[in-house]
Amino acid sequence: MADTKEGGDSAQIENTGLSTTDLEASPRKLAADQDAVEPAPDRTKNVHPRGFDKATEFLKQADHEVVVTHGDSRRVAKFIYCLQSLDKNTLSYAAVFGLITDTGLKGDQYSWLGSVVYLAQLVFQPLIAYILVKFPIGKFLAVMVFAWGAILCGMTAAHDFTGLLISRLILGIFEAAVAPTFVAIIQMWYRRREQTKRNAAWYAMLGVVNIIGSLLTYGLGHINSGVLRSYQIIFLFCGLLTVTWSIVTFILMPDSPMTAKFLKSDDKLIAIERLRMNQQGIASGVWKWDHVWEAMLDLKTWLWFSIMFIISIPSGGISTFGPLIIESFGFDRFTTILFNIPFGAVQMIATLGGAWLSDKIKMKAPVLILLCLGPIAGCSILLAVGRAASDRAVLLFGYYIISLYPGISPLIYSWSGQNTGGDTKRKVTTAMLFIGSNGGNVIGPLLFRPDEKPRYTRGLTANLVLFVALAVVVGLGALWIKFLNLKHAKARLALGKPEKIVDLSMADARDEDDGDILNQAADHVGERGFEDLTDLKNEDFIYVY
């Protein structure tokens, strides 16, 4: 992620204005160079009020100018985080506590139970993208969380492969909305500089769930019931916990900064204006097909898709078979669950640490490559070392350093979100990202089979190759994003604007005073921030790598 603070006058004195006249009357000359990014068309004709972001109309209702300082920004930037799904963990825990034997699963049937959830999510991502543009996000999320919690409870009644498969398929339909909604929420509440750590914060909850889930499963596994088997108790408890949390989500989760009940009127204005320099808007409520086509033709979209597809193959396999891999080292089921706890701790540290380091060095690509090194080493250890009792310490070490990989996904969410402008384009790009993720997660569990223990050679070898490939693709992606920044700089010159501009959305609060203004910059940079332009059509958009 490059912080483009070099060059350019940092004076922040000119009011950009928000009136309809200012927004609609900015004729621009076309770039002479055909390689320059084409500016948005003249808005002096055929202007439709639905073409702008909802924030434009909301800000017009204010009877005074809104100026946002760092002090205001820190005061308003607070939000509620929800727990991520326990589903991945419950299936793998249930496998340790007799699910495979008790339900008569054979061959790759258990693998398909891990894959089918993501197959359903893959199919429903386009619909989720449309819903996130058209409907209130907070209420939609609460309903989806309630639904997959209820389905998880219902899995208690499944006694064979068919019942489990149908339950998991329905579960995947409702889970399809959760992660894309979290990404959308982060984009509408936080400045680009803040998004990396916020994405990491909710994703790190998977590590917390891994720790707490292991402890809960250890306790639940000791319950002796004449009615329910151990794995059924696990499904029921985790499902009820999720249903309970959906009620909290419904009550506390606002749909946008404009409707947040915990913000006063002026604070709502600040919460919106602090995002002006993101050049991304907040929410338009209008589905734009030109955004869709641009997203599909944008090479960046396929970059994010490829990265998420590659990382999700090992992620799906390890999350489904992780406890079984530990069990293959020669531990009993209760010891296996306890030894899964450090995996969650390393996962949480890698996720938060990767986000912190990314902000520190102001780049994402090197951090992503660094996070690939641990899994490469871990897979190599598990493939090379034997399964004797004396090898258990080394095997556990190898398994734990594989768990650095969860730090990669939230960085990709942030990298994609920070480099995409336009409400519909953002939602479509996020959908493509999760289609890649779900596609990889479908394949991942199928690379492992319970009857291949204790070595799981096929799955671990494939994972090793994929982590190497991931590092290469990330490096190529960083080079492309640098090229796009040069292209936009060339477009600004052709339009008579400064080649280098200050990206206030990436300003580090530690380097600024509380009185520094965040939503106004020289040379009218930011005046089009709420016109719902895509990144390719807004020459003021600065890409981060």
Side-chain angles (χ1 to χ4, degrees):
M1 207 168 40
D3 189 345
T4 56
K5 291 181 72 175
E6 79 260 16
D9 191 338
S10 62
Q12 303 165 5
I13 57 175
E14 183 163 5
N15 179 18
T16 58
L18 291 167
S19 69
T20 304
T21 301
D22 290 334
L23 286 170
E24 298 178 0
S26 57
R28 316 171 69 87
K29 63 178 183 177
L30 294 174
D33 194 311
Q34 62 180 355
D35 291 331
V37 177
E38 181 182 354
D42 185 356
R43 280 173 159 61
T44 58
K45 298 180 180 180
N46 301 323
V47 176
H48 195 291
R50 295 173 73 247
F52 292 103
D53 195 273
K54 287 182 178 180
T56 300
E57 187 65 28
F58 188 83
L59 290 168
K60 283 169 60 179
Q61 298 174 10
D63 58 0
H64 60 279
E65 176 185 351
V66 181
V67 174
V68 182
T69 66
H70 272 289
D72 294 325
S73 180
R74 283 196 292 269
R75 178 169 55 85
V76 171
K78 298 177 181 178
F79 199 65
I80 304 294
Y81 291 110
C82 298
L83 289 173
Q84 177 61 290
S85 173
L86 287 173
D87 171 63
K88 292 181 183 179
N89 305 76
T90 55
L91 181 66
S92 58
Y93 297 154
V96 174
F97 282 88
L99 173 71
I100 295 175
T101 302
D102 292 346
T103 58
L105 299 181
K106 300 177 181 179
D108 59 1
Q109 289 181 337
Y110 173 74
S111 302
W112 271 110
L113 293 181
S115 295
V116 72
V117 169
Y118 299 103
L119 186 61
Q121 291 184 28
L122 186 154
V123 172
F124 277 85
Q125 284 307 316
L127 177 61
I128 297 301
Y130 180 80
I131 290 174
L132 290 178
V133 172
K134 298 291 291 184
F135 294 94
I137 284 182
K139 303 301 183 293
F140 172 66
L141 175 63
V143 171
M144 293 298 101
V145 173
F146 176 85
W148 55 254
I151 295 298
L152 189 57
C153 290
M155 284 182 64
T156 304
H159 298 290
D160 56 20
F161 173 68
T162 301
L164 288 170
L165 187 71
I166 293 173
S167 298
R168 297 278 294 175
L169 180 66
I170 299 173
L171 191 71
I173 294 173
F174 293 114
E175 281 192 354
V178 178
T181 304
F182 283 1
V183 172
I185 289 169
I186 295 297
Q187 291 171 351
M188 72 162 53
W189 277 88
Y190 292 103
R191 296 168 61 230
R192 290 204 298 173
R193 180 60 185 248
E194 301 162 349
Q195 290 174 9
T196 301
K197 289 182 179 178
R198 269 63 184 189
N199 276 324
W202 69 261
Y203 202 85
M205 293 301 102
L206 293 176
V208 174
V209 166
N210 220 324
I211 296 171
I212 296 177
S214 296
L215 291 172
L216 285 174
T217 304
Y218 182 84
L220 294 173
H222 283 87
I223 297 176
N224 293 317
S225 171
V227 179
L228 298 175
R229 299 179 184 273
S230 295
Y231 70 86
Q232 292 175 316
I233 294 173
I234 294 170
F235 285 152
L236 183 61
F237 181 88
C238 292
L240 290 174
L241 184 63
T242 302
V243 168
T244 302
W245 186 254
S246 72
I247 299 172
V248 177
T249 304
F250 187 87
I251 296 172
L252 296 181
M253 180 73 75
D255 296 315
S256 75
M258 293 169 279
T259 61
K261 295 180 180 180
F262 56 81
L263 293 179
K264 298 178 181 178
S265 180
D266 284 349
D267 285 346
K268 290 181 181 179
L269 296 173
I270 292 172
I272 295 169
E273 271 292 346
R274 67 191 295 274
L275 304 181
R276 174 176 291 278
M277 302 309 291
N278 281 1
Q279 306 282 356
Q280 296 176 309
I282 295 177
S284 69
V286 180
W287 182 263
K288 298 182 179 180
W289 283 107
D290 59 318
H291 285 209
V292 177
W293 308 137
E294 181 175 309
M296 299 308 295
L297 295 174
D298 191 345
L299 186 60
K300 290 190 282 79
T301 302
W302 298 102
L303 169 67
W304 316 132
F305 173 88
S306 300
I307 293 176
M308 287 305 299
F309 179 76
I310 293 172
I311 183 58
S312 297
I313 294 176
S315 174
I318 294 171
S319 61
T320 303
F321 277 83
L324 292 177
I325 292 174
I326 295 178
E327 188 180 40
S328 73
F329 300 161
F331 298 112
D332 62 60
R333 59 184 184 177
F334 288 107
T335 304
T336 293
I337 290 299
L338 291 178
F339 273 128
N340 196 56
I341 293 176
F343 185 96
V346 175
Q347 177 180 1
M348 184 171 57
I349 293 170
T351 302
L352 297 176
W356 174 84
L357 182 59
S358 174
D359 273 356
K360 185 72 173 179
I361 67 174
K362 301 176 181 178
M363 289 185 290
K364 282 189 172 60
V367 179
L368 288 167
I369 293 172
L370 180 64
L371 289 172
C372 289
L373 299 181
I376 289 172
C379 290
S380 299
I381 290 172
L382 295 188
L383 286 169
V385 176
R387 294 301 187 267
S390 59
D391 296 322
R392 289 177 181 173
V394 176
L395 291 170
L396 283 172
F397 173 76
Y399 178 72
Y400 291 150
I401 61 175
I402 288 177
S403 63
L404 291 174
Y405 78 84
I408 294 173
S409 293
L411 287 182
I412 302 303
Y413 299 149
S414 299
W415 205 13
S416 169
Q418 289 170 336
N419 285 301
T420 308
D423 188 29
T424 301
K425 184 179 180 182
R426 284 203 314 273
K427 301 305 191 301
V428 171
T429 301
T430 299
M432 287 298 295
L433 188 146
F434 281 101
I435 287 173
S437 173
N438 294 326
N441 275 297
V442 169
I443 296 172
L446 298 177
L447 296 176
F448 293 82
R449 285 174 56 128
D451 57 10
E452 291 179 343
K453 66 179 182 181
R455 302 197 67 91
Y456 297 105
T457 303
R458 181 180 58 165
L460 291 172
T461 301
N463 287 356
L464 175 61
V465 173
L466 287 165
F467 282 118
V468 173
L470 179 63
V472 174
V473 174
V474 167
L476 294 175
L479 293 176
W480 177 249
I481 291 171
K482 286 185 177 182
F483 168 75
L484 290 178
N485 268 340
L486 293 175
K487 198 173 182 181
H488 270 200
K490 191 175 182 180
R492 287 193 294 270
L493 275 178
L495 292 167
K497 302 176 73 172
E499 179 180 10
K500 295 181 179 180
I501 58 178
V502 178
D503 185 2
L504 295 179
S505 72
M506 295 300 297
D508 189 344
R510 294 169 298 182
D511 300 329
E512 305 288 344
D513 295 328
D514 280 357
D516 286 342
I517 299 175
L518 292 175
N519 64 322
Q520 298 176 6
D523 303 305
H524 299 278
V525 174
E527 67 179 354
R528 314 186 77 194
F530 293 136
E531 292 186 27
D532 198 29
L533 296 175
T534 64
D535 54 283
L536 294 180
K537 292 184 178 178
N538 182 359
E539 68 278 354
D540 292 337
F541 193 97
I542 299 176
Y543 296 99
V544 294
Y545 54 86

